[in-house]
Amino acid sequence: MTKQACFLIFLVFLFFNFHFKVINSKSNETTPLKLRIGVPVKEGFKEFVEVKNRINGTDNFSCTGFSIEVFAAAVRSLPFKVEYDFIPFKNSTGQSNGSYDELLQQIEAKKIHGVAGDTTIIFNRTSFVDFTLPYTESGVTMLVPIKHRKSMWVVVKPFSWDLWLAIIIVTIFISFVLVVLERHNITMTTTGCDESPKRWVGKIFWLPMTSAVSTQGENVMNNCSKFVLVVWLFLAFVLMQCYSASLSSMLTVDQLLPTYTSIDELQKGGYNVGFQQDSFVRSLLIEKLHFSPDKLKGYSTSEQYRHALSKGNENGGVAAIFDEIPCIKVVLAKHSSHFMMAGQTYRTGGFGFAFHLNSTLVPHFSRAILNISDGNIMDTLETKYFGHSLIPSNYQSTSGARNGASPLTAYNFAAFFIGIGFATLLALLVSESYIWQIPVRKAKQYYGQRYLCSNNTRVANDIPNRR
């Protein structure tokens, strides 16, 4: 074979090789990727995932829920075409076929390509599956009943003891100044020449009150007295408004407290606690939080949560339920007046989609989740299924949020009291000019005599010199 023939055959080979690559690339662009996606079968919390049978007695079904719609939105954001079939993880009776870990293990067994649902990203699961970026933030905390704290002394708690003492001292001081300013008016209205000390003490306490409620104003004649009375009324108005606001806060907020605030309290009391059935929370309670397995009870629905917490530990229920914050918020949306979140929050990776190890789909789905999170799609879906955001916040989170109302102290009104005291003293000095005229007169006399004496001495010393 000549060199020309070999070269011609080589060119024909390159042509057909390039032609088939182009055909394959075009076929890959038009042929969608087909995936089998497993979904959990849940009895409760169907806001996340719900598998509905379209026709009873058949295998026709539909999958709905927040997690399912987020997965569908992520697929639409992918740069390539993907078709998927949902495979419910259920047994012959239509119930869940196992825990979430067993569902994820179906990926490792190559029975499904991935899992879409409220699957929590935790370290133990990363040994046999890869997760996308989380589409919700999460964490595990406890849900406890609310107790209403009652106290017969709640009416004095808006103000601290030092503020009550300061109010009494300032009121007595203003009353004393009013009595001094109005002493001539008080003397003229009495029948006797002099009043007993007891009656004068009574005047100190009652004159501001009677002057404030008087419709004619005959009790106060001095203009400076009227000024002091206005100052006193302004003080009383400000304190009354602050007292009302603080008392209202204490009655509505501070009285609502969690029944239990810490895990130590639950463990020392030997109380039963609950968790969501088939979730990883059970292993968290045993391995990390060191709860005894015989103290744990599994529940599946928010209604079962409510019933168990309402019964309490003594009546066969539980003292608290541990679950992820998105699920607890679903319960609080229905029963926020009876329960609240409390205690420490244990961080998790959030909810994500799972694929087999080293899957090339993971980075594409992660970018798609970031894409829909930056837009309005995620907010729209959260509002549709929950009516609120799933991002953890201080929404009935701890006892500290419920105990925010603290008593007002004298330090909060220090500048206010100083200003009122200065204004009252100024009115007293203006009205009773003799108070400051006496020391001025004595000063004049003292320094005048001293000056005159020194001048007379100087003149007497100068007379011999002149002679």
Side-chain angles (χ1 to χ4, degrees):
M1 185 179 291
T2 62
K3 292 183 179 180
Q4 292 80 1
C6 292
F7 182 72
L8 182 62
I9 293 173
F10 178 71
L11 290 177
V12 171
F13 173 78
L14 288 178
F15 172 77
F16 281 104
N17 187 31
F18 176 76
H19 178 70
F20 283 120
K21 283 184 177 180
V22 171
I23 293 175
N24 288 334
S25 62
K26 291 183 178 179
S27 62
N28 289 335
E29 291 177 358
T30 58
T31 303
L33 180 65
K34 295 184 178 180
L35 300 176
R36 290 167 56 85
I37 303 299
V39 294
V41 176
K42 301 168 65 69
E43 182 181 352
F45 298 99
K46 295 182 179 180
E47 293 85 355
F48 295 99
V49 178
E50 182 178 10
V51 178
K52 296 180 180 179
N53 292 327
R54 292 177 179 172
I55 303 175
N56 293 332
T58 67
D59 291 334
N60 294 327
F61 62 89
S62 64
C63 293
T64 60
F66 173 74
S67 300
I68 299 301
E69 291 206 29
V70 171
F71 181 83
V75 169
R76 291 193 295 268
S77 299
L78 293 174
F80 49 88
K81 293 183 179 180
V82 172
E83 291 182 355
Y84 53 89
D85 293 324
F86 287 128
I87 311 298
F89 189 54
K90 61 181 181 179
N91 53 26
S92 57
T93 62
Q95 303 298 318
S96 175
N97 199 29
S99 65
Y100 277 65
D101 286 339
E102 293 172 335
L103 172 59
L104 293 173
Q105 288 169 0
Q106 300 294 307
I107 300 176
E108 188 180 23
K110 297 184 179 180
K111 295 182 179 180
I112 54 177
H113 297 102
V115 170
D118 52 341
T119 311
T120 306
I121 304 171
I122 57 176
F123 176 75
N124 294 340
R125 294 172 176 174
T126 59
S127 61
F128 52 90
V129 293
D130 274 349
F131 287 98
T132 64
L133 289 176
Y135 59 88
T136 67
E137 297 182 17
S138 187
V140 176
T141 188
M142 63 180 183
L143 181 69
V144 297
I146 291 175
K147 66 178 180 180
H148 298 265
R149 186 175 65 182
K150 298 179 180 180
S151 174
M152 63 181 295
W153 298 106
V154 68
V155 292
V156 299
K157 288 184 178 180
F159 293 164
S160 61
W161 66 268
D162 58 335
L163 180 55
W164 283 115
L165 182 61
I167 292 173
I168 294 173
I169 293 174
V170 170
T171 303
I172 293 176
F173 170 70
I174 292 178
S175 301
F176 177 78
V177 171
L178 278 176
V179 171
V180 171
L181 295 177
E182 292 295 316
R183 66 187 184 280
H184 301 296
N185 183 34
I186 295 174
T187 304
M188 289 191 311
T189 56
T190 56
T191 56
C193 297
D194 296 314
E195 287 189 315
S196 64
K198 292 183 179 180
R199 293 181 62 87
W200 276 97
V201 172
K203 291 291 184 181
I204 291 176
F205 287 101
W206 289 109
L207 181 60
M209 298 294 182
T210 56
S211 301
V213 300
S214 175
T215 58
Q216 302 297 328
E218 66 275 11
N219 289 332
V220 176
M221 304 298 292
N222 193 323
N223 290 331
C224 292
S225 300
K226 295 178 181 179
F227 174 76
V228 173
L229 184 61
V230 170
V231 170
W232 182 85
L233 290 175
F234 180 69
L235 170 65
F237 177 77
V238 172
L239 291 174
M240 182 169 38
Q241 294 299 318
C242 295
Y243 176 85
S244 300
S246 182
L247 181 61
S248 299
S249 177
M250 287 185 173
L251 289 176
T252 57
V253 176
D254 194 45
Q255 300 302 302
L256 302 179
L257 301 174
T259 308
Y260 306 99
T261 58
S262 66
I263 294 176
D264 293 337
E265 188 177 359
L266 296 172
Q267 291 175 336
K268 291 178 180 179
Y271 298 118
N272 296 324
V273 297
F275 63 95
Q276 185 176 164
Q277 193 73 37
D278 296 331
S279 72
F280 74 98
V281 177
R282 185 178 187 276
S283 60
L284 172 70
L285 293 173
I286 296 175
E287 297 173 6
K288 186 174 181 179
L289 303 183
H290 308 294
F291 277 96
S292 175
D294 58 349
K295 297 294 183 181
L296 305 181
K297 294 185 177 183
Y299 301 101
S300 301
T301 66
S302 59
E303 187 60 28
Q304 291 178 359
Y305 280 19
R306 183 198 66 80
H307 185 67
L309 289 172
S310 299
K311 290 175 63 177
N313 185 80
E314 295 79 7
N315 300 318
V318 294
I321 290 179
F322 286 83
D323 204 347
E324 295 177 271
I325 292 177
C327 297
I328 289 181
K329 284 191 173 184
V330 171
V331 181
L332 290 177
K334 303 175 182 178
H335 310 289
S336 60
S337 60
H338 299 90
F339 310 111
M340 65 184 299
M341 284 189 280
Q344 183 179 351
T345 298
Y346 301 90
R347 295 184 179 274
T348 61
F351 292 166
F353 305 127
F355 295 94
H356 63 79
L357 287 174
N358 303 318
S359 173
T360 57
L361 292 174
V362 171
H364 290 291
F365 268 90
S366 296
R367 284 191 288 268
I369 290 172
L370 286 177
N371 185 27
I372 63 177
S373 297
D374 290 339
N376 297 325
I377 298 177
M378 196 70 73
D379 294 335
T380 302
L381 293 177
E382 289 179 353
T383 303
K384 174 182 177 181
Y385 285 98
F386 309 105
H388 56 78
S389 174
L390 288 177
I391 298 176
S393 63
N394 290 331
Y395 174 71
Q396 293 184 341
S397 57
T398 60
S399 59
R402 291 285 183 167
N403 292 332
S406 57
L408 297 173
T409 63
Y411 181 78
N412 301 126
F413 295 89
F416 189 61
F417 286 147
I418 292 173
I420 288 178
F422 177 78
T424 305
L425 286 176
L426 181 62
L428 181 64
L429 292 176
V430 170
S431 176
E432 307 297 324
S433 58
Y434 71 90
I435 296 177
W436 55 270
Q437 286 178 356
I438 292 175
V440 170
R441 191 183 306 114
K442 290 184 176 181
K444 287 182 178 180
Q445 292 176 356
Y446 173 76
Y447 288 105
Q449 292 177 358
R450 186 175 180 181
Y451 177 76
L452 290 176
C453 291
S454 60
N455 286 340
N456 293 333
T457 304
R458 192 179 301 112
V459 171
N461 293 332
D462 290 341
I463 290 175
N465 295 332
R466 291 178 182 178
R467 292 177 180 176

